[in-house]
Amino acid sequence: MASWTESDACPIYTDAILGGFMHLSGFLKRAVLCGGVALTMSPLAHAEFPAGSYSGTYLGADHGTINITVDSYGAVTCRMASDTGKGTVTGTGGVFSVDPPLFDCRNIDSNNYISVDGSYEAGGINGQYLFRGLGGTTYSGHYSATPSGAGGTSPLSWKSLSGLWYDPAYDSTGFNILGGDNGLIFTYYGRNAQGGPLWTISMDALGGTIVPNTEYTIALGMITAGTFANPVNQMARWGQVSVKFSDCTRATATLSGNDGVQVLNLQRLSGVKDASGC
């Protein structure tokens, strides 16, 4: 059992300033903890914030994976791993409000600074983060996480899905999937209905959380003008691809567009070294 009172909690939750950044939820914490009401935590008190492990992805100034664990006493641990080489940071904290269910997790070590706040609702956690990456730069944004290990529903990171994908039944064709700053970019290399080369690229990035066995549809476009010596950025919509990832190495995809419909059972041929999120 852990307990906080106004006198010892307020100083802890009012120093969320790093390099000129004020953590957005500081006001909310002070409103809950410093409003003249003592808060007592116990295993029974966390019925509205289920204990367990949660995993997901974070977006914003950086992107990567996030893992959060809440025990039956309301103690919290958190870990963020950058997909872009900015490092891995860890912290500890606790549930500080039952209604609404809120928590925070942090580490004030200058070499491992992390501050994560979140709320539980609809079976998952959503919130904001701030961390200091390699080189001393701070990054902030938002994240979402869902219960881990529940039937393979843990989100997949963009970096873990990046690579070359193909269907062995359609040799010499396939996708290059790239995790960029704002999501996944799909490029398809194949043949059109007449046997000529077909090269399409997603017209927008597939961002947000990628959940296994969930279908996502992305519009595909193709260049319609220009030559080798004089390229022209003139793109028209070819069609779309609907993709469903089983895990980081298997997926199904349906191409539908100007040249017909093709259903593909994809395997990842080659991925990104040291990718996390699976």
Side-chain angles (χ1 to χ4, degrees):
M1 179 180 295
S3 63
W4 290 273
T5 62
E6 179 181 0
S7 61
D8 58 16
C10 293
I12 295 176
Y13 290 106
T14 54
D15 65 346
I17 303 175
L18 176 65
F21 290 91
M22 173 68 76
H23 212 41
L24 182 62
S25 62
F27 171 79
L28 180 58
K29 292 175 187 173
R30 290 191 295 274
V32 172
L33 291 171
C34 303
V37 178
L39 177 64
T40 300
M41 312 291 288
S42 70
L44 183 61
H46 303 301
E48 297 183 49
F49 207 129
S53 298
Y54 300 80
S55 60
T57 55
Y58 68 86
L59 306 173
D62 186 44
H63 58 83
T65 57
I66 184 168
N67 299 96
I68 298 167
T69 301
V70 182
D71 72 12
S72 59
Y73 291 90
V76 176
T77 60
C78 56
R79 178 181 183 273
M80 296 178 64
S82 173
D83 279 348
T84 61
K86 306 218 171 31
T88 299
V89 289
T90 59
T92 59
V95 175
F96 65 87
S97 171
V98 176
D99 187 14
L102 304 171
F103 82 96
D104 90 333
C105 182
R106 58 195 200 136
N107 188 336
I108 62 174
D109 183 340
S110 60
N111 294 319
N112 186 41
Y113 187 92
I114 178 175
S115 182
V116 174
D117 291 316
S119 61
Y120 176 88
E121 60 180 69
I125 298 175
N126 296 279
Q128 312 247 346
Y129 72 84
L130 178 74
F131 77 91
R132 172 176 285 166
L134 298 177
T137 303
T138 55
Y139 303 91
S140 61
H142 63 278
Y143 72 90
S144 61
T146 56
S148 304
T153 59
S154 298
L156 306 171
S157 75
W158 300 342
K159 186 175 180 180
S160 69
L161 298 174
S162 297
L164 302 177
W165 293 74
Y166 83 116
D167 184 334
Y170 293 88
D171 201 10
S172 301
T173 68
F175 290 88
N176 182 13
I177 301 177
L178 173 66
D181 290 337
N182 57 344
L184 294 173
I185 301 295
F186 291 72
T187 305
Y188 173 73
Y189 305 94
R191 294 284 177 178
N192 60 26
Q194 292 74 43
L198 175 65
W199 177 16
T200 68
I201 187 169
S202 51
M203 302 183 75
D204 200 0
L206 173 59
T209 301
I210 309 298
V211 178
N213 302 309
T214 301
E215 187 171 85
Y216 302 91
T217 298
I218 308 98
L220 297 175
M222 58 185 298
I223 298 298
T224 58
T227 64
F228 179 78
N230 185 30
V232 177
N233 184 16
Q234 181 175 313
M235 181 176 290
R237 177 170 174 144
W238 173 85
Q240 66 185 36
V241 60
S242 296
V243 62
K244 182 188 297 184
F245 293 99
S246 301
D247 51 37
C248 294
T249 60
R250 297 174 299 144
T252 59
T254 301
L255 284 165
S256 55
N258 298 338
D259 296 281
V261 177
Q262 192 175 94
V263 179
L264 304 169
N265 294 306
L266 299 176
Q267 302 175 13
R268 194 180 66 186
L269 178 64
S270 179
V272 176
K273 184 179 179 182
D274 299 326
S276 60
C278 283

